[in-house]
Amino acid sequence: MAVAFSLTKAFFEWFSASDGVAALHKKHIEGDVALHMLKGTPMAAAPDSLKLDFARSGAGQAVANFMKAEQQHIGGWKVDRIVEAAGSEFNAVCWRQRLLEEVASSQVVLFSFVDCPWCLLAKERLAAIEGNEAWLPAGSVRTIELEARGRDGKALRAAIAAATGRTSMPSVWVGGRCVGGFTDGDMPSGEPGLCLAASPGFEALEASGRLP
């Protein structure tokens, strides 16, 4: 176990210092929209039905596990990179307030990347229960696609990262608090008042009846 942990840590140290990641980060800084690791890949261009199949598959679970390990080992480093990508004009105080206003606008607020398989899973499940659960009446789910917000989407993602310690999407907020993503909720450095402690993610919370 200790050897596996050390190897995983070493991998992510190499990954964060790699030329490929540096090139992607440079592109993100220079671009006008928020980016993610699948952007520009065949998966991002695939039909939504295939994205959903992938997210539910063993391969999708392997990617989700990779993301959890990434969060554990270099989560803080990723937060710093996302804040840097928001640009020198990014004002953390102002954008934190903007984030608070956004998450207070509906019972559930889902921050999303339009071509992210796990964002699609979250949308699918929310669409299935909205209006069918007492805690989630019709019209109480709001989805915010970060790419559609342009540079504001980059700043909003940076504010989410700073508040929760998470950079991946979706970012699911219920009653003004972040419950993490769809399949995981690790937020050890998240603001206590804004993040649900020890959250397993939206899927597990909803399945166990622990929402809202």
Side-chain angles (χ1 to χ4, degrees), residues 124-143:
E124 180 184 65
R125 184 57 190 159
L126 284 167
I129 64 175
E130 184 182 7
N132 296 309
E133 297 284 350
W135 70 273
L136 195 62
S140 59
V141 175
R142 182 179 177 218
T143 298

Side-chain angles (χ1 to χ4, degrees), residues 196-200 204-212:
L196 181 64
S199 173
L205 287 171
E206 192 263 324
S208 62
R210 292 168 58 192
L211 290 173

Side-chain angles (χ1 to χ4, degrees), residues 33 49 55 57 61 64-65 71 77 83 101 120 129 132-133 135 141 144 153 158 178 181 187 192 194 197 205:
V33 297
S49 59
S57 70
Q61 184 59 56
N65 289 339
Q71 174 68 27
W77 174 86
V83 170
E101 292 168 0
L120 291 172
I129 64 175
N132 296 309
E133 297 284 350
W135 70 273
V141 175
I144 297 175
C178 185
M187 296 179 285
L194 292 181
L205 287 171

Side-chain angles (χ1 to χ4, degrees), residues 33-94:
V33 297
L35 298 177
H36 58 86
M37 293 296 289
L38 291 179
K39 185 68 70 177
T41 68
M43 177 54 63
D48 286 354
S49 59
L50 291 183
K51 291 188 181 79
L52 288 166
D53 287 344
F54 172 79
R56 295 188 179 103
S57 70
Q61 184 59 56
V63 173
N65 289 339
F66 175 89
M67 299 299 290
K68 290 178 184 179
E70 183 184 57
Q71 174 68 27
Q72 179 183 8
H73 290 284
I74 58 171
W77 174 86
K78 286 192 67 181
V79 168
D80 291 344
R81 300 292 79 72
I82 293 301
V83 170
E84 183 180 8
S88 59
E89 70 276 13
F90 175 71
N91 185 309
V93 174
C94 291

Side-chain angles (χ1 to χ4, degrees), residues 11-174:
F11 168 80
F12 281 110
E13 288 175 349
W14 166 83
F15 176 82
S16 62
S18 69
D19 291 342
V21 169
L24 284 173
H25 181 55
K26 182 176 184 292
K27 182 179 179 181
H28 195 191
I29 291 173
E30 295 171 349
D32 291 328
V33 297
L35 298 177
H36 58 86
M37 293 296 289
L38 291 179
K39 185 68 70 177
T41 68
M43 177 54 63
D48 286 354
S49 59
L50 291 183
K51 291 188 181 79
L52 288 166
D53 287 344
F54 172 79
R56 295 188 179 103
S57 70
Q61 184 59 56
V63 173
N65 289 339
F66 175 89
M67 299 299 290
K68 290 178 184 179
E70 183 184 57
Q71 174 68 27
Q72 179 183 8
H73 290 284
I74 58 171
W77 174 86
K78 286 192 67 181
V79 168
D80 291 344
R81 300 292 79 72
I82 293 301
V83 170
E84 183 180 8
S88 59
E89 70 276 13
F90 175 71
N91 185 309
V93 174
C94 291
W95 277 100
R96 181 182 184 278
Q97 181 58 38
R98 177 77 171 271
L99 172 64
L100 295 180
E101 292 168 0
E102 297 281 16
V103 301
S105 66
S106 194
Q107 171 67 358
V108 172
V109 176
L110 173 71
F111 296 96
S112 167
F113 286 130
V114 68
D115 50 8
C116 163
W118 292 271
C119 296
L120 291 172
L121 280 180
K123 293 171 192 174
E124 180 184 65
R125 184 57 190 159
L126 284 167
I129 64 175
E130 184 182 7
N132 296 309
E133 297 284 350
W135 70 273
L136 195 62
S140 59
V141 175
R142 182 179 177 218
T143 298
I144 297 175
E145 301 290 359
L146 293 176
E147 296 103 323
R149 296 289 188 94
R151 296 198 68 85
D152 281 1
K154 294 175 71 174
L156 196 50
R157 186 188 186 191
I160 294 168
T164 68
R166 292 173 53 87
T167 61
S168 61
M169 296 294 137
S171 181
V172 188
W173 296 68
V174 179

